[in-house]
Amino acid sequence: MLAFRSGDARAFDALVRRHRTPVFNFILRYTGHRARAEDLLQETWLKAVRGAHDYEPKARFTTWVYTIARNLCVDSARKESYRQTESLDAPAGAEDDGRMLAEVLPDGNASPDRAAHNSRLRPLLERALKGLPEEQREVFILREYSGIAFKDIAVVTGVPENTVKSRMRYALDGLRKRLQELGVDGDMVEEGRAAG
Amino acid sequence: MKQPGPHIEDKLLDFTYGELAAADAQDVEAHLKGCPACQGALEAIEGVRRVMARLPVESAPDNGLESLMGYAEQAARWVQAGPAPKSTWWRRWVIPAAGLSAAAIVAVVSMQVSKSSGQIDLASKSAPVAAPAPRQEMGETESAPLPANELQGLAGKRLTAAPEPPAPVAKAEPVPAMREPDSRPSPNDGDLFDIAPKGYKGAEKLAKRDDAPKAAHRRRAQDFKDEEEQQLAMRGGAGQDFAQKESADKPVPFQHLAKDEVAKDDQFASRSGDAAAKSAPAKVVEHGVGSFGLGGAGPGRQAPSEKPVAVASAAPPPPPAASAPAASRYQSATPAAPVADLSAEREEDEVEVARAAPEAKKKAGLKQEVDRVEVFTRQAREAERTGDYGRATAYLKEAVAAATGERRTDLLEEWCGIALKVDPSTETEPEPCAQLRPYRPGSASLQILARRKRAVLDMESPAQMDKAKASPPTAKPAAADKAANTQNGL
């Protein structure tokens, strides 16, 4: 980022290519809405460009860019709370035969069996994740999927590290209970692995 | 068996995610071996993580990536180009301040230039002329003439150019009043009338009555020059006669002659010095006293150069065709009574004029006539603007008396218009209108007069009389006047 701030556009290109997908996944799992996640991803990087001159190497770039993304997600969630939004349970559209939105989402390159398994498992996981409170969900996503350390999550979320860990424990406990409710257990996961 | 110690659930998260230091991680592993509760907690954490890890990673879309990179490149170029200069407070003010100062400098310079040119023009106009005596209507009381020393001071102030060689004029009679130096300041320094010669009392009266500031007079002097030249050009038709009659002696077109006169006057204004003082009396005599007091020849004023004098002396003096009728008209067009007390002074002036060279007198008289007419006309219009119709009428009378040809007719029409404004009654035709009728029967003023008469006649017709009987008696003339005025645009 310092190289980009000094006028090196290629440095920014490298940053984008390295962090774009993790940031997008964080936003997508935070919001649960792909189109909105794409918009927020673009806005996150535009803000990074505009704020490059304000960037100070006190924290890691990852922390900085996730802070931007997280703040945008929070703002977006606040805006969405004021309007009638589609949920993951809502029908995706008339042409999707009433399938849930999570089922419509693509699933990378998977074998047909595994894809079928994932097509069953994935909405359950997303539903479990969606069922977490926002502050627990963001901590879990940042730590589990984005690989951000707890102390950096504290910086991103603006809360103490112990609070982050506490939220993480609550998130893990809540997910476990929720997954049990949904009938997702270790055996089901192992089945999926075997099918893959 | 080693006691596992207190539970380490608070370290299990860090242990699970590999954030513990190596030593702490070994301690946790040792504790877990002897603590089934912590082991169960760890398995619960890892079980959830294993399940949730099945959630696939979504690839980021490529849409918007190009525009983002383009934006980043542009930002990088801006960074490479360097920061834009900050708009400091003094930079924000420097351009307007510079513009204002430039405008102020231009304004000051132009004012100075116009002032100086106005002074030069005034001097050039006033140098060769001597003032005629005004009529009595122009001033109710006689006042002391302006001393010549004031004229000297004024002339000295206004003429700043190099001295002029003395003009060899021998016929001039000295005017003692103009030679006496006096440092007494003039109360109306800078006024056109201040520089009138000693004998011109009317100019002083007019000066006393005139309350306009000096700057206005200077401006008028500048305007006067322009209008004078225009007037000379307009008078080309009238001047043709004069030029034709003169052509036997000197084949110079009238307009050229007039322009030469103006040019000479400008030259005079640019000369000053002792020589001028010597030649000043001659100048006064040469140009006669019949002109209006535009700064008679004081010591600072200049005499005409040798060339016109030589021409004047070489050429036999034919009677000036333009000035002679003008003089007769001047006498005939104005009532005798108001100018009775001024006639003596005029006669004295005329004696002096008769002594001067006839050719110079002819040329100077033409120019002086224009000067007088213009000044009187200007004063009349100013008085009319201020609503002082009496004063305007007086000035117009003077102007009409001094003017000739078309110019006189124009002035008569102007005078007639004012007379119609002053006296809306149509019982008797105003004097200027009566004078105007033979020359310009279809003029606007006479048409207004005719309409008024018609309106009155209409009112006096039987039908109108019947209507008038029904209306209050005082309303009749008022309505007629109002109708006529509306119709005439007055």
Side-chain angles (χ1 to χ4, degrees), chain A residues 78-93:
Chain A
R78 282 177 187 162
K79 287 175 190 169
E80 285 304 309
S81 67
Y82 291 109
R83 57 175 96 144
Q84 190 91 20
T85 56
E86 293 174 325
S87 70
L88 287 172
D89 296 329

PDB file of all heavy atoms in Angstrom, chain A residues 78-93:
ATOM      1  N   ARG A  78     -27.696  -1.547   8.054  1.00  0.00           N
ATOM      2  CA  ARG A  78     -28.603  -0.559   8.649  1.00  0.00           C
ATOM      3  C   ARG A  78     -29.612  -0.068   7.624  1.00  0.00           C
ATOM      4  O   ARG A  78     -30.788   0.083   7.924  1.00  0.00           O
ATOM      5  CB  ARG A  78     -27.796   0.623   9.186  1.00  0.00           C
ATOM      6  CG  ARG A  78     -27.124   0.317  10.501  1.00  0.00           C
ATOM      7  CD  ARG A  78     -26.297   1.481  10.952  1.00  0.00           C
ATOM      8  NE  ARG A  78     -25.508   1.141  12.122  1.00  0.00           N
ATOM      9  CZ  ARG A  78     -24.450   1.832  12.532  1.00  0.00           C
ATOM     10  NH1 ARG A  78     -24.051   2.887  11.850  1.00  0.00           N
ATOM     11  NH2 ARG A  78     -23.796   1.472  13.602  1.00  0.00           N
ATOM     12  N   LYS A  79     -29.105   0.193   6.413  1.00  0.00           N
ATOM     13  CA  LYS A  79     -30.023   0.660   5.367  1.00  0.00           C
ATOM     14  C   LYS A  79     -31.049  -0.420   5.045  1.00  0.00           C
ATOM     15  O   LYS A  79     -32.225  -0.136   4.836  1.00  0.00           O
ATOM     16  CB  LYS A  79     -29.234   1.030   4.102  1.00  0.00           C
ATOM     17  CG  LYS A  79     -28.452   2.318   4.234  1.00  0.00           C
ATOM     18  CD  LYS A  79     -27.605   2.542   3.001  1.00  0.00           C
ATOM     19  CE  LYS A  79     -26.640   3.695   3.206  1.00  0.00           C
ATOM     20  NZ  LYS A  79     -25.638   3.767   2.120  1.00  0.00           N
ATOM     21  N   GLU A  80     -30.565  -1.660   5.008  1.00  0.00           N
ATOM     22  CA  GLU A  80     -31.465  -2.745   4.641  1.00  0.00           C
ATOM     23  C   GLU A  80     -32.510  -3.014   5.710  1.00  0.00           C
ATOM     24  O   GLU A  80     -33.583  -3.519   5.412  1.00  0.00           O
ATOM     25  CB  GLU A  80     -30.656  -4.020   4.390  1.00  0.00           C
ATOM     26  CG  GLU A  80     -29.926  -4.007   3.084  1.00  0.00           C
ATOM     27  CD  GLU A  80     -30.852  -3.781   1.908  1.00  0.00           C
ATOM     28  OE1 GLU A  80     -31.860  -4.487   1.802  1.00  0.00           O
ATOM     29  OE2 GLU A  80     -30.571  -2.873   1.103  1.00  0.00           O
ATOM     30  N   SER A  81     -32.168  -2.661   6.930  1.00  0.00           N
ATOM     31  CA  SER A  81     -33.137  -2.896   7.994  1.00  0.00           C
ATOM     32  C   SER A  81     -34.353  -1.997   7.850  1.00  0.00           C
ATOM     33  O   SER A  81     -35.379  -2.245   8.465  1.00  0.00           O
ATOM     34  CB  SER A  81     -32.488  -2.662   9.359  1.00  0.00           C
ATOM     35  OG  SER A  81     -32.177  -1.300   9.506  1.00  0.00           O
ATOM     36  N   TYR A  82     -34.222  -0.963   7.046  1.00  0.00           N
ATOM     37  CA  TYR A  82     -35.335  -0.035   6.852  1.00  0.00           C
ATOM     38  C   TYR A  82     -36.168  -0.391   5.633  1.00  0.00           C
ATOM     39  O   TYR A  82     -37.113   0.280   5.312  1.00  0.00           O
ATOM     40  CB  TYR A  82     -34.811   1.397   6.705  1.00  0.00           C
ATOM     41  CG  TYR A  82     -34.232   1.927   7.980  1.00  0.00           C
ATOM     42  CD1 TYR A  82     -32.869   2.106   8.106  1.00  0.00           C
ATOM     43  CD2 TYR A  82     -35.053   2.235   9.065  1.00  0.00           C
ATOM     44  CE1 TYR A  82     -32.318   2.579   9.283  1.00  0.00           C
ATOM     45  CE2 TYR A  82     -34.508   2.701  10.244  1.00  0.00           C
ATOM     46  CZ  TYR A  82     -33.133   2.875  10.343  1.00  0.00           C
ATOM     47  OH  TYR A  82     -32.598   3.337  11.506  1.00  0.00           O
ATOM     48  N   ARG A  83     -35.764  -1.358   4.903  1.00  0.00           N
ATOM     49  CA  ARG A  83     -36.566  -1.709   3.728  1.00  0.00           C
ATOM     50  C   ARG A  83     -36.899  -3.198   3.709  1.00  0.00           C
ATOM     51  O   ARG A  83     -36.262  -3.983   4.420  1.00  0.00           O
ATOM     52  CB  ARG A  83     -35.867  -1.290   2.440  1.00  0.00           C
ATOM     53  CG  ARG A  83     -34.528  -1.835   2.209  1.00  0.00           C
ATOM     54  CD  ARG A  83     -34.001  -1.433   0.851  1.00  0.00           C
ATOM     55  NE  ARG A  83     -33.141  -0.255   0.876  1.00  0.00           N
ATOM     56  CZ  ARG A  83     -32.092  -0.127   0.084  1.00  0.00           C
ATOM     57  NH1 ARG A  83     -31.786  -1.074  -0.763  1.00  0.00           N
ATOM     58  NH2 ARG A  83     -31.360   0.959   0.135  1.00  0.00           N
ATOM     59  N   GLN A  84     -37.844  -3.491   2.940  1.00  0.00           N
ATOM     60  CA  GLN A  84     -38.282  -4.887   2.823  1.00  0.00           C
ATOM     61  C   GLN A  84     -37.243  -5.628   1.996  1.00  0.00           C
ATOM     62  O   GLN A  84     -37.044  -5.324   0.811  1.00  0.00           O
ATOM     63  CB  GLN A  84     -39.630  -4.933   2.111  1.00  0.00           C
ATOM     64  CG  GLN A  84     -40.319  -6.258   2.114  1.00  0.00           C
ATOM     65  CD  GLN A  84     -41.246  -6.400   3.317  1.00  0.00           C
ATOM     66  OE1 GLN A  84     -41.617  -5.373   3.895  1.00  0.00           O
ATOM     67  NE2 GLN A  84     -41.578  -7.608   3.693  1.00  0.00           N
ATOM     68  N   THR A  85     -36.573  -6.552   2.598  1.00  0.00           N
ATOM     69  CA  THR A  85     -35.514  -7.245   1.883  1.00  0.00           C
ATOM     70  C   THR A  85     -35.847  -8.710   1.704  1.00  0.00           C
ATOM     71  O   THR A  85     -36.619  -9.296   2.474  1.00  0.00           O
ATOM     72  CB  THR A  85     -34.183  -7.133   2.649  1.00  0.00           C
ATOM     73  OG1 THR A  85     -34.392  -7.627   3.955  1.00  0.00           O
ATOM     74  CG2 THR A  85     -33.692  -5.719   2.695  1.00  0.00           C
ATOM     75  N   GLU A  86     -35.189  -9.242   0.700  1.00  0.00           N
ATOM     76  CA  GLU A  86     -35.304 -10.676   0.495  1.00  0.00           C
ATOM     77  C   GLU A  86     -34.391 -11.390   1.480  1.00  0.00           C
ATOM     78  O   GLU A  86     -33.270 -10.950   1.737  1.00  0.00           O
ATOM     79  CB  GLU A  86     -34.877 -11.040  -0.923  1.00  0.00           C
ATOM     80  CG  GLU A  86     -35.792 -10.509  -1.987  1.00  0.00           C
ATOM     81  CD  GLU A  86     -35.212 -10.791  -3.343  1.00  0.00           C
ATOM     82  OE1 GLU A  86     -33.983 -10.742  -3.479  1.00  0.00           O
ATOM     83  OE2 GLU A  86     -35.998 -11.074  -4.246  1.00  0.00           O
ATOM     84  N   SER A  87     -34.848 -12.447   2.006  1.00  0.00           N
ATOM     85  CA  SER A  87     -34.000 -13.243   2.879  1.00  0.00           C
ATOM     86  C   SER A  87     -33.542 -14.487   2.123  1.00  0.00           C
ATOM     87  O   SER A  87     -33.977 -14.746   0.999  1.00  0.00           O
ATOM     88  CB  SER A  87     -34.775 -13.657   4.133  1.00  0.00           C
ATOM     89  OG  SER A  87     -35.763 -14.600   3.784  1.00  0.00           O
ATOM     90  N   LEU A  88     -32.660 -15.188   2.751  1.00  0.00           N
ATOM     91  CA  LEU A  88     -32.198 -16.421   2.118  1.00  0.00           C
ATOM     92  C   LEU A  88     -33.329 -17.446   1.992  1.00  0.00           C
ATOM     93  O   LEU A  88     -33.271 -18.346   1.161  1.00  0.00           O
ATOM     94  CB  LEU A  88     -31.046 -17.017   2.934  1.00  0.00           C
ATOM     95  CG  LEU A  88     -29.731 -16.264   2.830  1.00  0.00           C
ATOM     96  CD1 LEU A  88     -28.734 -16.838   3.828  1.00  0.00           C
ATOM     97  CD2 LEU A  88     -29.166 -16.350   1.431  1.00  0.00           C
ATOM     98  N   ASP A  89     -34.331 -17.270   2.827  1.00  0.00           N
ATOM     99  CA  ASP A  89     -35.471 -18.175   2.757  1.00  0.00           C
ATOM    100  C   ASP A  89     -36.481 -17.758   1.705  1.00  0.00           C
ATOM    101  O   ASP A  89     -37.350 -18.546   1.349  1.00  0.00           O
ATOM    102  CB  ASP A  89     -36.195 -18.231   4.111  1.00  0.00           C
ATOM    103  CG  ASP A  89     -35.274 -18.806   5.172  1.00  0.00           C
ATOM    104  OD1 ASP A  89     -34.429 -19.642   4.809  1.00  0.00           O
ATOM    105  OD2 ASP A  89     -35.396 -18.400   6.338  1.00  0.00           O
ATOM    106  N   ALA A  90     -36.364 -16.549   1.259  1.00  0.00           N
ATOM    107  CA  ALA A  90     -37.353 -16.054   0.318  1.00  0.00           C
ATOM    108  C   ALA A  90     -37.142 -16.695  -1.031  1.00  0.00           C
ATOM    109  O   ALA A  90     -36.012 -17.075  -1.386  1.00  0.00           O
ATOM    110  CB  ALA A  90     -37.236 -14.532   0.191  1.00  0.00           C
ATOM    111  N   PRO A  91     -38.214 -16.819  -1.829  1.00  0.00           N
ATOM    112  CA  PRO A  91     -38.042 -17.369  -3.171  1.00  0.00           C
ATOM    113  C   PRO A  91     -37.150 -16.490  -4.016  1.00  0.00           C
ATOM    114  O   PRO A  91     -37.245 -15.258  -3.971  1.00  0.00           O
ATOM    115  CB  PRO A  91     -39.470 -17.400  -3.728  1.00  0.00           C
ATOM    116  CG  PRO A  91     -40.357 -17.337  -2.541  1.00  0.00           C
ATOM    117  CD  PRO A  91     -39.615 -16.573  -1.511  1.00  0.00           C
ATOM    118  N   ALA A  92     -36.247 -17.061  -4.790  1.00  0.00           N
ATOM    119  CA  ALA A  92     -35.308 -16.281  -5.592  1.00  0.00           C
ATOM    120  C   ALA A  92     -35.990 -15.672  -6.790  1.00  0.00           C
ATOM    121  O   ALA A  92     -35.575 -14.644  -7.282  1.00  0.00           O
ATOM    122  CB  ALA A  92     -34.159 -17.172  -6.057  1.00  0.00           C
ATOM    123  N   GLY A  93     -37.034 -16.327  -7.265  1.00  0.00           N
ATOM    124  CA  GLY A  93     -37.724 -15.768  -8.413  1.00  0.00           C
ATOM    125  C   GLY A  93     -38.643 -16.806  -8.989  1.00  0.00           C
ATOM    126  O   GLY A  93     -38.604 -17.986  -8.602  1.00  0.00           O
TER     127      GLY A  93
END
